[in-house]
Amino acid sequence: MRQRTTLVILAITLLAGCVETKVEEGVIVLSEKGLNSAHLMADTIVYSVDIINSDTLDTWADWRLKNMNTPKLVEQVFDNVYNGRLKAYDYFSNEALTVEDIQNIENKPDYARSLIEEIQFEETWLFSPEEQIFHKEVHSFVLAYACTGKVANGWDSNPSFASGWKNKKLTHDKPGYFPGNL
């Protein structure tokens, strides 16, 4: 009798796992976690993050960035652009950049990878309070480097290039906009 009860419970459990979940009509699933448009918090959000502390007196930035491996991030981004796994775009025009274009950026007299101090993200944010999931999907990012000498347009950072993934269109709609301490 006990074996029969166990088999019935096991069968019910297996069958319950095979039931097709009905998705509401008109609901678009936006992530592999099953989040959909009802969970959308930010369709597109653009923000910048310091990746080095340029102020030696800022102990809060030291603490926030203590686990950040900026040289590794920068090297891997450039390696992936050079080997074609990551696409680079001109920040201002959204035009695709060639390897030669990237080499030209790197050959500028005011440019060095070690000057890269900021990353700007373009993301979609989803949140499910029921599942306690906060999902951020990165569409593109920009590595920015410190200006030397005269600061153009009042900025203290210049975008190196924008980068995104295949089938992801860069959507920043303000040509020439870069929020580096405007």
Side-chain angles (χ1 to χ4, degrees):
M1 182 69 166
R2 186 175 214 184
Q3 188 177 21
R4 180 185 246 174
T5 304
T6 304
L7 286 173
V8 169
I9 291 172
L10 181 61
I12 291 171
T13 304
L14 289 172
L15 289 174
C18 295
V19 174
E20 187 176 326
T21 305
K22 188 172 183 173
V23 177
E24 289 181 52
E25 193 172 319
V27 173
I28 300 169
V29 176
L30 299 172
S31 82
E32 71 280 354
K33 299 182 184 328
L35 300 174
N36 59 51
S37 54
H39 299 107
L40 191 62
M41 295 296 126
D43 182 0
T44 304
I45 186 165
V46 178
Y47 63 97
S48 297
V49 176
D50 292 334
I51 56 176
I52 66 162
N53 181 6
S54 56
D55 180 357
T56 57
L57 300 176
D58 187 349
T59 57
W60 169 238
D62 284 339
W63 184 84
R64 286 183 296 117
L65 298 168
K66 68 183 176 205
N67 296 313
M68 180 66 209
N69 190 340
T70 299
K72 182 178 180 180
L73 170 69
V74 172
E75 290 305 312
Q76 288 187 359
V77 167
F78 276 88
D79 288 349
N80 277 273
V81 167
Y82 280 126
N83 71 28
R85 295 185 67 203
L86 193 59
K87 192 69 183 151
Y89 300 89
D90 181 275
Y91 182 82
F92 299 103
S93 71
N94 258 357
E95 296 296 319
L97 297 175
T98 65
V99 168
E100 185 178 287
D101 294 329
I102 301 300
Q103 289 170 335
N104 289 338
I105 290 170
E106 291 205 85
N107 289 329
K108 288 181 179 179
D110 67 340
Y111 180 84
R113 289 185 190 186
S114 62
L115 294 175
I116 293 174
E117 61 183 15
E118 192 172 270
I119 187 167
Q120 174 185 286
F121 290 102
E122 181 178 327
E123 300 176 340
T124 297
W125 289 2
L126 301 120
F127 177 65
S128 170
E130 304 83 23
E131 300 295 325
Q132 291 294 293
I133 296 172
F134 191 110
H135 177 75
K136 296 166 66 169
E137 183 176 331
V138 177
H139 300 292
S140 65
F141 61 90
V142 178
L143 296 177
Y145 61 99
C147 293
T148 57
K150 186 177 179 190
V151 179
N153 299 322
W155 301 347
D156 63 0
S157 296
N158 280 326
S160 295
F161 54 83
S163 198
W165 288 266
K166 292 177 182 166
N167 303 322
K168 300 275 185 186
K169 173 108 172 79
L170 300 179
T171 60
H172 64 269
D173 59 358
K174 295 181 180 176
Y177 172 74
F178 184 76
N181 296 331
L182 293 177

